[in-house]
Amino acid sequence: MRLLATLAASAAALSAHAIIDDFETYLAGTFPSANWEDASLIAPVNGPPPNPSCVVDKTTDAFGNGTLALHLDSTWVGASSGVWRKESIAAVTELTFDFRIDSFGSGATGDVTDWAFDAMIGKARDDIHVGAWNSMQIYASNMSQDFRGYTIDSGQFEDDLPYGLKLETKKWYHVRATFDKTIGSIRSEVWDIAANALLLDATVQDAGWTLADGDFNAVSFNQGELSALESADAWIDNINVVPEPATLAVLGCALAALVRRRR
């Protein structure tokens, strides 16, 4: 009985740090302030940004049904618009979410400098925009219009890690990204939602990553331009951030086994 209680408490403690947001509880046209901070307020590049830099708005899902989602719109060319929050980051963290890019930003001169969307775990600071310091990221490049991984270590050395998956506009994708901050690896699984088709299951890794580089305390979903002439227009929906997914699964199995045995 005592072991059962310990396992239950451990599972509850881990799951308490999970972030789940389908954006359905907000009013259209408002910033999702109940769960997020505005990413543009931290040392914006090419400011001043709009306030807020993004809002929840009405759109349609992959099957044409009405839904609310976070809209990273094309009204501001700069970095970074979007959302972020302080969060305890486990050794292995899983991000799942849906995204749709209605248009890519034109005029970009580099892949890492201009992103239609970005999902990341990283280190929040007061003097630099979210994602420009210690971080592990997946993003859509405005220049190459593809899906990529990206890391910045504690020495500010960057590693761009393309997956080789071209992205289409006006299509909903589902992503599950598993970040291992101890070794600098990112496993990404990407589905075409409407077709229920797995398009990518691959892992990239920063070969020079060290344990000290994974000093993280934040999660962010954002968009930015450092060279492009126009901003992209993108949507993010159904965010789920799970710390230590493997640990949660093991605890869940252990709890289930103990309950069956007790019965």
Side-chain angles (χ1 to χ4, degrees), residues 71-150:
H71 192 191
L72 305 173
D73 68 23
S74 56
T75 57
W76 179 53
V77 182
S80 295
S81 58
V83 298
W84 79 282
R85 62 182 276 170
K86 286 275 187 79
E87 192 67 30
S88 298
I89 303 298
V92 178
T93 297
E94 181 180 281
L95 272 61
T96 66
F97 61 97
D98 302 335
F99 77 89
R100 187 184 81 213
I101 299 170
D102 286 348
S103 62
F104 286 96
S106 65
T109 60
D111 285 313
V112 302
T113 58
D114 299 86
W115 56 102
F117 85 86
D118 175 284
M120 55 154 286
I121 56 175
K123 183 175 183 177
R125 289 178 29 168
D126 295 332
D127 59 341
I128 194 166
H129 67 272
V130 177
W133 191 242
N134 289 49
S135 56
M136 299 175 67
Q137 313 177 27
I138 49 175
Y139 75 101
S141 164
N142 275 321
M143 188 171 78
S144 297
Q145 299 186 6
D146 62 357
F147 185 82
R148 292 170 174 252
Y150 179 62

Side-chain angles (χ1 to χ4, degrees), residues 124-227:
R125 289 178 29 168
D126 295 332
D127 59 341
I128 194 166
H129 67 272
V130 177
W133 191 242
N134 289 49
S135 56
M136 299 175 67
Q137 313 177 27
I138 49 175
Y139 75 101
S141 164
N142 275 321
M143 188 171 78
S144 297
Q145 299 186 6
D146 62 357
F147 185 82
R148 292 170 174 252
Y150 179 62
T151 58
I152 308 178
D153 66 20
S154 55
Q156 284 286 275
F157 293 104
E158 306 171 28
D159 203 351
D160 191 33
L161 305 163
Y163 282 99
L165 175 65
K166 284 288 187 179
L167 297 171
E168 299 180 39
T169 57
K170 304 185 186 305
K171 174 180 284 191
W172 278 107
Y173 295 91
H174 177 71
V175 177
R176 178 166 61 205
T178 305
F179 297 90
D180 188 331
K181 71 175 188 178
T182 65
I183 60 174
S185 72
I186 310 169
R187 178 186 176 185
S188 289
E189 300 161 86
V190 182
W191 287 262
D192 176 335
I193 296 176
N196 192 29
L198 179 64
L199 306 177
L200 175 74
D201 185 352
T203 300
V204 293
Q205 184 172 5
D206 183 336
W209 195 261
T210 69
L211 189 62
D213 296 324
D215 180 18
F216 299 151
N217 64 355
V219 175
S220 179
F221 295 82
N222 61 73
Q223 175 194 86
E225 301 83 32
L226 303 180
S227 71

Side-chain angles (χ1 to χ4, degrees), residues 56-73:
V56 174
D57 217 340
K58 295 178 181 179
T59 186
T60 54
D61 65 16
F63 305 101
N65 302 310
T67 189
L68 290 171
L70 183 69
H71 192 191
L72 305 173
D73 68 23

